Amino acid sequence: CRYCARSRMRAARCLVLYAFLQLLFYGVKPTHVTGLWNGKGYEFLHKFAIISGRGHQIHLYGSFSNNSEPATLLFVPSKLWKDLNKQVDKNKGSYNDDTCKHVMRSLCDKAGINAMDYIRQVPCYDDNCQPESVNLVPGSQITYTFSDSTQFYYAILVACVRSEISLNNSCDWISRKGSNMRYDVWFVSGDPLDTKHNSLTYQFSYHEHGVIIVLIIVVILYGVLLPFHLIGYTWLLGKCEMPNFVKVFTVALFMELIGVGFALIHYSVYADDGKGVMALYDLGFFFEVLADYVLLLIVLLIAKGYRITISVIRQKRLLFVVWSLYFIAVIAFVIWALFGLSARSDKNAYQEWAGGLLLAWRMLTLIYALFELRSTYLQEDDPVRVRLYVIFFVACLAWFLYLPIMVIIAAIVNSVYRAMIITTSIRIMDFTGFLGMAILLYPYWSGRYFQFSHWFTEDEAARLI
């Protein structure tokens, strides 16, 4: 039947989209990094942040396959990484002796006599690879320990080794023979030799400290909001029905709770093993994107006065175009953030063209919503609903403008703080948007503003307050 065929097509599209997002986000690197390097050129491992303060340290430790040719592991701060990264970008593919000299010269010139603090030969067969001032973590071949100013540290394997004529810490490098190398490396923000570390922060880079706390708070808030929303429609079950408009919002709210719940589960596991459950995180992200997308549609429908001032949607095609292009802008942003923006860069994705495109389209969507809201406002004569549109106007401004404002603030502060500022503000403002919509659609208020059939009387709805 046609209905069955359409249902299968919709299901297939959802599966394709989910698989696509899985492909995109499976590349996120954990703090426990394992893999196989082909031994040619370079292999970027991870970047890890530190914040200046008493007792703040970052540690890198791990092991490398013992049956491979020696190579060099670099773990360098941002102040040395910029020049080194330029050389790495210029010299891609297999390294020769001249390439190694150019790549490593940038580090030696900047770091001077301290260059060897950032360099380890791997695999390491004896104690000569490790500075005497650094305690080796048991079971590992190398260990780095740094306590520094607020910045990122970058770990990279390069197909270079110090030449035999290098004496007195001179910077003379030659290329290595290409052979596969397995690595198993940990990045932690607490002392690995101390068994009493904070499990909520130990596995996390300093720019991600607090992510679990934020998720716990958000999950609790959604966990309270969803039952509160449902109670309003089940208290008098049998006397009224939940309108389709409200059902859509309820589904979106439920998906948002699932999304942040899955993210919390992932990071809880991540705090233990440094890897987490990426498949669960990806699925949660998919639910969050879909929930926010549905919330945007509800905002645009209210701006047009649907089920408040009018019962038939005006200019459906234009609404669909604006709604769809916003989703396309989000997907383009995600693709660029993962494929176009290098993990070695300290830039935020919003500082690139894809981020600018998303913010620009967000502003255009705001203009469209305000234009429709003004048109609806002029059509409404009921003073109660007129007041609703005024409040909704302010709420729209806040909900659409918070992201550009946070991006501007994040661009000013240190790059270590950028991701936390943006992600935390998104979590908070998303919840604020769902909270505001839940209050608006609660029976007591929606009975006053919306044109729903078989609805509560004010006296009946007042019992739920």
Side-chain angles (χ1 to χ4, degrees):
C1 62
R2 292 183 178 180
Y3 178 79
C4 295
R6 291 176 181 174
S7 298
R8 286 194 293 268
M9 285 296 294
R10 283 194 291 267
R13 289 172 183 170
C14 288
L15 288 174
V16 170
L17 180 59
Y18 171 65
F20 177 66
L21 289 173
Q22 279 281 97
L23 175 63
L24 286 181
F25 283 87
Y26 209 79
V28 178
K29 287 214 172 188
T31 52
H32 182 198
V33 183
T34 59
L36 177 65
W37 175 40
N38 62 10
K40 299 178 180 178
Y42 68 90
E43 174 88 340
F44 180 77
L45 300 182
H46 196 49
K47 70 177 181 181
F48 206 75
I50 184 173
I51 295 178
S52 59
R54 177 185 294 181
H56 289 181
Q57 291 183 331
I58 56 175
H59 302 263
L60 180 158
Y61 64 94
S63 300
F64 300 80
S65 55
N66 291 325
N67 57 350
S68 59
E69 293 291 330
T72 298
L73 173 66
L74 305 177
F75 194 41
V76 298
S78 297
K79 58 186 178 182
L80 302 178
W81 173 252
K82 293 181 180 179
D83 290 336
L84 180 63
N85 190 36
K86 291 179 182 178
Q87 293 296 327
V88 168
D89 281 334
K90 288 180 182 178
N91 301 280
K92 297 181 179 179
S94 299
Y95 282 10
N96 55 35
D97 291 352
D98 290 336
T99 305
C100 286
K101 290 178 181 179
H102 284 98
V103 170
M104 301 303 295
R105 177 59 60 184
S106 62
L107 174 61
C108 294
D109 291 344
K110 286 286 184 178
I113 60 175
N114 297 320
M116 299 310 297
D117 293 341
Y118 309 107
I119 297 171
R120 301 287 189 276
Q121 177 182 302
V122 291
C124 185
Y125 303 108
D126 51 48
D127 295 336
N128 295 330
C129 311
Q130 186 75 19
E132 295 181 359
S133 59
V134 179
N135 295 323
L136 187 67
V137 175
S140 65
Q141 297 176 1
I142 53 94
T143 299
Y144 287 89
T145 299
F146 288 110
S147 178
D148 208 340
S149 58
T150 301
Q151 60 184 318
F152 280 102
Y153 271 74
Y154 300 80
I156 185 173
L157 285 167
V158 292
C160 302
V161 292
R162 298 184 67 197
S163 67
E164 295 182 358
I165 63 173
S166 292
L167 300 174
N168 300 322
N169 291 333
S170 62
C171 197
D172 189 17
W173 297 82
I174 59 175
S175 60
R176 73 185 288 270
K177 297 178 181 179
S179 62
N180 294 339
M181 177 182 290
R182 291 193 176 276
Y183 52 86
D184 186 339
V185 182
W186 290 81
F187 299 81
V188 295
S189 59
D191 187 354
L193 299 176
D194 184 4
T195 57
K196 298 180 180 179
H197 49 69
N198 188 343
S199 59
L200 294 180
T201 59
Y202 179 67
Q203 297 281 1
F204 294 91
S205 171
Y206 275 93
H207 79 289
E208 294 179 319
H209 278 198
V211 63
I212 289 187
I213 301 299
V214 171
L215 284 171
I216 290 174
I217 294 173
V218 172
V219 166
I220 292 174
L221 291 175
Y222 279 113
V224 173
L225 179 60
L226 181 59
F228 177 80
H229 171 72
L230 292 176
I231 286 173
Y233 295 97
T234 58
W235 192 277
L236 299 177
L237 186 64
K239 297 188 64 174
C240 63
E241 295 179 357
M242 182 184 293
N244 292 332
F245 192 83
V246 181
K247 288 179 181 177
V248 172
F249 170 75
T250 305
V251 171
L253 181 57
F254 184 67
M255 288 191 298
E256 187 74 15
L257 175 58
I258 292 176
V260 295
F262 283 177
L264 178 58
I265 293 173
H266 159 72
Y267 280 112
S268 298
V269 178
Y270 186 101
D272 179 62
D273 65 3
K275 290 187 176 182
V277 187
M278 288 306 305
L280 198 62
Y281 177 84
D282 297 338
L283 184 58
F285 176 82
F286 172 75
F287 279 125
E288 287 189 74
V289 170
L290 193 57
D292 293 343
Y293 192 47
V294 173
L295 181 62
L296 174 63
L297 176 61
I298 295 174
V299 169
L300 295 178
L301 287 175
I302 293 178
K304 294 177 76 68
Y306 180 62
R307 290 296 183 180
I308 302 176
T309 301
I310 61 175
S311 57
V312 179
I313 302 175
R314 309 182 308 266
Q315 299 177 328
K316 293 182 181 180
R317 290 185 179 179
L318 180 58
L319 172 64
F320 178 77
V321 169
V322 172
W323 189 46
S324 301
L325 288 180
Y326 187 86
F327 184 71
I328 293 174
V330 171
I331 294 300
F333 172 77
V334 171
I335 293 174
W336 173 256
L338 292 166
F339 290 109
L341 185 65
S342 172
R344 308 193 309 268
S345 174
D346 62 351
K347 288 185 177 180
N348 187 276
Y350 286 100
Q351 297 176 268
E352 300 292 339
W353 68 267
L357 175 65
L358 176 59
L359 295 178
W361 191 252
R362 188 179 180 90
M363 292 301 95
L364 291 175
T365 305
L366 171 62
I367 293 172
Y368 169 76
L370 296 182
F371 176 81
E372 292 292 343
L373 189 58
R374 179 181 180 277
S375 177
T376 305
Y377 174 84
L378 295 176
Q379 296 178 46
E380 184 58 65
D381 298 324
D382 185 349
V384 175
R385 291 173 177 170
V386 167
R387 184 174 59 191
L388 167 66
Y389 288 133
V390 173
I391 297 174
F392 194 74
F393 170 81
V394 176
C396 273
L397 283 177
W399 193 67
F400 277 96
L401 290 177
Y402 84 88
L403 184 57
I405 293 173
M406 289 298 103
V407 170
I408 292 173
I409 294 175
I412 298 173
V413 302
N414 190 297
S415 60
V416 172
Y417 301 110
R418 288 173 189 167
M420 199 59 186
I421 289 175
I422 294 176
T423 54
T424 301
S425 63
I426 289 176
R427 299 280 188 195
I428 294 174
M429 291 305 296
D430 279 352
F431 172 77
T432 304
F434 278 100
L435 175 62
M437 196 61 65
I439 293 174
L440 179 60
L441 294 178
Y442 194 74
Y444 180 76
W445 300 106
S446 56
R448 295 181 177 186
Y449 300 130
F450 288 84
Q451 301 173 5
F452 293 143
S453 60
H454 307 295
W455 201 240
F456 294 106
T457 65
E458 291 189 11
D459 292 338
E460 292 171 333
R463 299 174 191 171
L464 304 176
I465 302 301

